[in-house]
């Protein structure tokens, strides 16, 4: 038999476990990393730089070179402004996860509403709504995000807004296609015949059926959102310095790339690993939520 | 007839999305503090001077009128002058930079198509064997690895460690121009190459399972002829569509590459203008980028029925 899917279910389950494990570690790192860092900093360092939570300046303010070697007081060393790389990575993880999760939450709310309305609403609402969704879907995400950022402004809030606007159409299309097939299933028709309202049908009979697929899709889409956030920050039109972000760190590393490639390697590695992990988890969840895939 | 109707619908939808973009870009000027009058008058101007200037420029009229004027001027390529530097006309500034974007995007799509179709065909021929698995594994990286991670890595090795290619574009170039474009084009081509490889493979695998291929094998067609003339010709159509859309994404998505390698192109101009708050330049760049993308997608819709008689005869 010809195998169409690239990975076997067993490999997918393994990917799911490793991906999920990495993501849990990342989440803990994002939550507790900056806190531990702050506790370790001496009072001297806090006096040198009062804005310590953002800057995370290093313990030794008298050394002539701002770059501390890895393994000392700063585990991975420091950057050109004496900022601890680990602490900045943790802050960057915070930014990426905050932006990513907020965007997915907003996109799910909007996307599910539009997707359901796009199938069940009266024709004069349904058709223009789905045409509009298709139009938004066809447009390149990053171009749309840049367009919105150019109107709304720079910073974390605008990034969340811009990426939410680009993220909902694909969810709406997914929900619409699922609802369209589910609404004619016998159990739904039976409930309808028994006098159930549309709202009851959707919330009790249709949406519970698609939560698995939606969750899997959101995970993969979360990778796209984090990537887009990093891209905007890399271009300098996303999260603004001194707020650390992975994209901003990669951009900042170019100045001293030749002598201090570590500044480049760590944010690149963490970002790429996160993207891979999210894709693995999404793939694994999809395999779990699709019974055909599970039995294969 | 149905085809003509479908195509004209697409055309109208394209125009509609362009109008939508123009409205959002117009909003950019409305929302942000300051306008052409405050910029032209300079920092030390009094309130009266600005008010007079605003009246002369027609900025005190209601926004629907100004929007119509904005669109009618935009259609003729008139976006006013840049807020900064020598206050160059925006049309001229953008026109100067668009050549670079077109050059790198077309080079990248040529490179991606050649490598993608070649590797994809190889992978399909050796389906589920080590070469296929290797190609699929690498292409997974190609799809997921972001441009701004690949660009510094390649730059680090090729420009800094081995010193065989220049790091960034500069005004005083010592080598021929194309030398400076190798790294940007390679970085830009990575994602479409990976996508086209996967698509060609999938399409070829599908085609190779069909009966006319079995017939061809049975009547003794030599392998090269079988794969290229019989299979690839049939499998290439979805790939051509994808080349078209990828080209659209390259032309409108070279922000990162242009910014990183300091190339004077449409993408880097847009980013620069957003950071400086140079509204007319942002408006022109965004409108032009959107227009390019929409026109290119229309073109892909147009070219498919020409290439494939099956689509021409059935409805779209």
């Amino acid at each position: 038999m010809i195998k169409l899917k690239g990975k076997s279910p067993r490999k997918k389950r393994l990917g799911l476990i490793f991906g999920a494990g990495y993501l849990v570690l990342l989440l803990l790192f994002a939550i507790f990393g900056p806190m531990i860092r702050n506790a370790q900093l001496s009072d001297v360092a806090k006096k040198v730089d009062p804005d310590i939570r953002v800057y995370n300046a290093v313990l030794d303010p008298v050394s002539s070179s701002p770059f501390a070697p890895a393994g000392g007081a700063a585990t991975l060393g420091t950057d050109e402004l004496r900022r601890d790389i680990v602490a900045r990575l943790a802050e960057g993880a915070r930014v990426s996860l905050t932006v990513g999760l907020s965007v997915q939450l907003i996109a799910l709310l909007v996307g599910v509403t539009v997707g359901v309305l796009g199938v069940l609403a009266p024709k004069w609402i349904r058709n223009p709504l789905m045409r509009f969704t298709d139009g938004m879907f066809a447009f390149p995400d990053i171009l749309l995000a840049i367009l919105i950022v150019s109107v709304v402004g720079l910073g974390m809030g605008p990034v969340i807004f811009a990426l939410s606007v680009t993220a909902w159409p694909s969810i709406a299309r997914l929900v619409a296609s699922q609802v369209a097939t589910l609404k004619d299933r016998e159990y739904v028709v039976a409930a309808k015949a028994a006098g159930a309202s549309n709202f009851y049908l959707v919330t009790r009979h249709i949406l519970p059926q698609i939560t698995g697929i939606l969750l899997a899709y959101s995970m993969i889409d979360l990778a796209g959102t984090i990537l887009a956030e990093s891209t905007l920050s890399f271009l300098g039109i996303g999260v603004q310095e001194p707020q650390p972000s992975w994209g901003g760190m990669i951009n900042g590393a170019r100045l001293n790339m030749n002598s201090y490639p570590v500044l480049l390697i760590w944010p690149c590695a963490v970002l790429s690993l996160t993207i891979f992990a999210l894709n693995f988890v999404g793939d694994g969840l999809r395999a779990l939520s699709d019974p055909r895939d599970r039995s294969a | 007839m149905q085809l003509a109707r479908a195509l004209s619908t697409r055309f109208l939808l394209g125009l509609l999305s362009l109008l939508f973009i123009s409205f959002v870009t117009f909003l950019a000027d409305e929302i942000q503090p300051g306008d052409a009058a405050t910029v032209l008058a300079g920092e030390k101007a009094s309130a009266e001077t600005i008010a007079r200037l605003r009246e002369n420029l027609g900025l005190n009229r209601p926004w629907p009128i100004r929007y119509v004027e904005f669109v009618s001027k935009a259609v003729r390529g008139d976006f006013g002058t840049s807020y900064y530097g020598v206050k160059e006309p925006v049309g001229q500034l953008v026109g100067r930079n668009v050549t670079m974007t077109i050059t790198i995007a077309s080079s990248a799509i040529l490179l991606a198509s050649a490598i993608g179709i070649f590797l994809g065909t190889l992978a399909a021929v050796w389906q589920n064997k080590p070469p296929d698995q290797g190609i699929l594994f690498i292409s997974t990286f190609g799809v997921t690895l972001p441009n701004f991670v690949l660009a510094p890595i390649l730059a680090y090795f090729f420009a800094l460690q081995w010193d065989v290619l220049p790091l960034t574009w500069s005004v005083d170039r010592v080598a021929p121009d194309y030398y400076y474009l190798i790294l940007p084009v390679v970085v830009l081509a990575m994602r479409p190459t990976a996508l086209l490889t996967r698509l060609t493979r999938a399409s070829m695998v599908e085609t190779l399972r069909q009966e006319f291929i079995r017939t061809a094998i049975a009547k003794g067609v030599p392998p090269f002829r079988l794969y290229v003339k019989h299979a690839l010709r049939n499998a290439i159509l979805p790939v051509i569509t994808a080349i078209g859309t990828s080209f659209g994404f390259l032309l409108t998505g070279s922000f990162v590459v242009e910014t990183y390698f300091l190339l004077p192109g449409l993408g880097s101009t847009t980013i620069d203008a957003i950071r400086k708050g140079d509204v007319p330049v942002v408006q022109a760049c965004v409108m032009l980028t959107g227009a390019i993308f929409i026109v290119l997608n229309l073109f892909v819709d147009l070219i498919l029925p020409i290439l494939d008689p099956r689509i021409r005869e059935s409805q779209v």
Side-chain angles (χ1 to χ4, degrees), chain A residues 1-8 11, chain B residues 120-136 201 205 208-209:
Chain A
M1 219 194 96
I2 295 159
K3 218 169 62 183
L4 273 178
K5 289 264 162 70
K7 275 176 275 179
S8 68
K11 266 192 199 158
Chain B
T121 310
L122 279 190
V125 170
W126 277 304
Q127 222 181 109
N128 295 329
K129 302 225 169 61
D132 177 32
Q133 283 158 353
I135 289 171
L136 272 184
R201 178 191 179 273
V205 165
L208 286 173
R209 293 210 321 238

Side-chain angles (χ1 to χ4, degrees), chain A residues 1-4 6 131-132 136 138-144 146-154 227 230-231 234-237 246-247 250-251 254 257-259 261 264 267-268 271-272 275-276 279, chain B residues 13 20-21 24-25 27-28 31-32 127-128 140-141 144-146 148-149 152-153 155-156 160-161 167-168 205-206 209 249 252-253 255-256 259-262 270-271 274-275 282 286 289-290 293-294:
Chain A
M1 219 194 96
I2 295 159
K3 218 169 62 183
L4 273 178
R131 285 296 82 74
F132 179 65
M136 294 285 281
F139 218 66
D141 283 358
I142 197 72
L143 184 60
L144 196 61
I146 286 175
L147 168 69
I148 294 168
V149 165
S150 77
V151 176
V152 186
L154 312 178
L227 204 58
S230 306
T231 307
F234 173 84
L235 291 171
I237 56 173
W246 294 340
I250 295 175
N251 187 37
R254 66 179 302 166
M257 194 166 74
N258 203 8
S259 32
L264 180 70
C268 281
L271 176 65
S272 308
I275 305 285
F276 278 118
N279 276 311
Chain B
L13 275 178
F20 178 69
I21 300 172
V24 179
T25 41
L27 274 182
I31 289 177
Q32 265 154 33
Q127 222 181 109
N128 295 329
T140 310
F141 272 95
T144 34
L145 204 68
F148 57 91
V149 171
I153 293 175
Y156 178 75
L160 296 177
Q161 290 297 304
L167 184 58
T168 55
V205 165
E206 195 61 38
R209 293 210 321 238
F249 276 88
T252 57
F255 300 100
V256 168
T259 308
Y260 189 83
F261 292 104
L262 306 179
T270 314
I271 302 299
I274 292 177
R275 277 197 286 214
V282 176
V286 168
T289 322
F293 186 77
I294 288 163

Side-chain angles (χ1 to χ4, degrees), chain B residues 51-69:
Chain B
R52 207 172 328 114
L53 206 56
R54 200 166 277 157
E55 199 162 336
N56 286 343
L57 290 167
L59 289 172
N60 52 354
R61 289 171 300 163
W63 68 264
I65 297 177
R66 278 183 293 124
Y67 173 63
V68 172
E69 194 190 44

Side-chain angles (χ1 to χ4, degrees), chain B residues 40-110:
Chain B
L40 279 176
E43 273 171 29
K44 288 175 205 138
S46 64
E48 293 99 77
T49 326
I50 294 175
R52 207 172 328 114
L53 206 56
R54 200 166 277 157
E55 199 162 336
N56 286 343
L57 290 167
L59 289 172
N60 52 354
R61 289 171 300 163
W63 68 264
I65 297 177
R66 278 183 293 124
Y67 173 63
V68 172
E69 194 190 44
F70 170 72
V71 172
S72 73
K73 274 189 171 174
V75 170
R76 281 171 276 149
D78 177 9
F79 285 90
T81 55
S82 165
Y83 284 177
Y84 296 90
V86 289
K87 304 211 162 67
E88 191 181 358
V90 174
Q92 192 184 322
L93 183 126
V94 172
R96 191 153 43 81
N97 286 323
V98 80
T99 337
M100 173 61 81
T101 303
I102 293 177
T103 311
I104 55 172
S106 351
S107 320
I109 199 67
L110 281 178

Side-chain angles (χ1 to χ4, degrees), chain A residues 23 31 85 93 117 136 177 200 249 260 268 285:
Chain A
L23 289 178
I31 296 171
I85 295 177
L117 286 180
M136 294 285 281
S177 74
Y200 183 88
M249 287 174 79
Y260 296 95
C268 281
L285 283 180

Side-chain angles (χ1 to χ4, degrees), chain B residues 195-213:
Chain B
L195 285 173
L196 292 175
T197 305
R198 295 171 81 95
L199 191 66
T200 309
R201 178 191 179 273
S203 182
M204 275 292 278
V205 165
E206 195 61 38
T207 310
L208 286 173
R209 293 210 321 238
Q210 290 188 9
E211 280 168 9
F212 73 90
I213 293 292

Side-chain angles (χ1 to χ4, degrees), chain B:
Chain B
M1 225 42 245
Q2 257 171 327
L3 183 66
R5 241 181 80 188
L7 286 177
S8 51
T9 317
R10 299 264 169 92
F11 183 71
L12 282 177
L13 275 178
L15 271 185
L16 214 65
S17 6
L18 257 184
L19 267 180
F20 178 69
I21 300 172
S22 74
F23 187 67
V24 179
T25 41
F26 174 74
L27 274 182
D29 207 5
E30 297 297 297
I31 289 177
Q32 265 154 33
D35 54 15
T38 46
V39 174
L40 279 176
E43 273 171 29
K44 288 175 205 138
S46 64
E48 293 99 77
T49 326
I50 294 175
R52 207 172 328 114
L53 206 56
R54 200 166 277 157
E55 199 162 336
N56 286 343
L57 290 167
L59 289 172
N60 52 354
R61 289 171 300 163
W63 68 264
I65 297 177
R66 278 183 293 124
Y67 173 63
V68 172
E69 194 190 44
F70 170 72
V71 172
S72 73
K73 274 189 171 174
V75 170
R76 281 171 276 149
D78 177 9
F79 285 90
T81 55
S82 165
Y83 284 177
Y84 296 90
V86 289
K87 304 211 162 67
E88 191 181 358
V90 174
Q92 192 184 322
L93 183 126
V94 172
R96 191 153 43 81
N97 286 323
V98 80
T99 337
M100 173 61 81
T101 303
I102 293 177
T103 311
I104 55 172
S106 351
S107 320
I109 199 67
L110 281 178
L111 186 70
S113 310
I115 300 177
I117 293 175
F118 179 69
L119 286 183
T121 310
L122 279 190
V125 170
W126 277 304
Q127 222 181 109
N128 295 329
K129 302 225 169 61
D132 177 32
Q133 283 158 353
I135 289 171
L136 272 184
F137 183 74
I138 296 170
S139 72
T140 310
F141 272 95
V143 174
T144 34
L145 204 68
N147 268 350
F148 57 91
V149 171
L150 186 70
I153 293 175
L154 289 188
Y156 178 75
F157 285 110
F158 285 93
L160 296 177
Q161 290 297 304
W162 305 327
D163 200 21
V164 284
L165 289 170
L167 184 58
T168 55
W169 183 268
S170 62
V171 188
D172 42 333
R173 294 180 293 282
V174 286
D177 280 3
Y178 71 86
Y179 219 60
Y180 288 80
L181 298 182
I182 293 176
L183 275 182
V185 167
V186 168
V187 173
L188 205 55
M190 170 194 65
R191 207 179 136 76
T193 308
L195 285 173
L196 292 175
T197 305
R198 295 171 81 95
L199 191 66
T200 309
R201 178 191 179 273
S203 182
M204 275 292 278
V205 165
E206 195 61 38
T207 310
L208 286 173
R209 293 210 321 238
Q210 290 188 9
E211 280 168 9
F212 73 90
I213 293 292
R214 203 183 308 153
T215 313
I217 298 173
K219 75 173 190 189
V221 175
F224 184 77
R225 214 181 135 77
L226 176 82
Y227 287 125
V228 175
K229 279 236 155 166
H230 290 244
L232 192 58
R233 264 191 82 158
N234 274 283
I236 201 97
L237 273 169
V239 181
I240 289 177
T241 321
I243 291 176
T245 37
S246 299
F247 190 45
F249 276 88
L250 287 184
L251 275 175
T252 57
S254 48
F255 300 100
V256 168
V257 167
E258 282 175 19
T259 308
Y260 189 83
F261 292 104
L262 306 179
L263 299 175
L266 197 55
S268 53
T269 312
T270 314
I271 302 299
D272 201 39
I274 292 177
R275 277 197 286 214
K276 283 196 294 196
D278 198 345
V279 180
V281 179
V282 176
Q283 286 175 331
C285 289
V286 168
M287 289 281 291
L288 184 63
T289 322
I292 291 175
F293 186 77
I294 288 163
V295 169
L296 215 79
N297 272 309
L298 259 177
F299 183 70
V300 173
D301 286 341
L302 263 174
I303 204 164
L304 263 192
I306 296 172
L307 288 176
D308 190 351
R310 283 169 300 189
I311 302 179
R312 211 180 314 150
E313 273 152 28
S314 69
Q315 75 288 24
V316 176

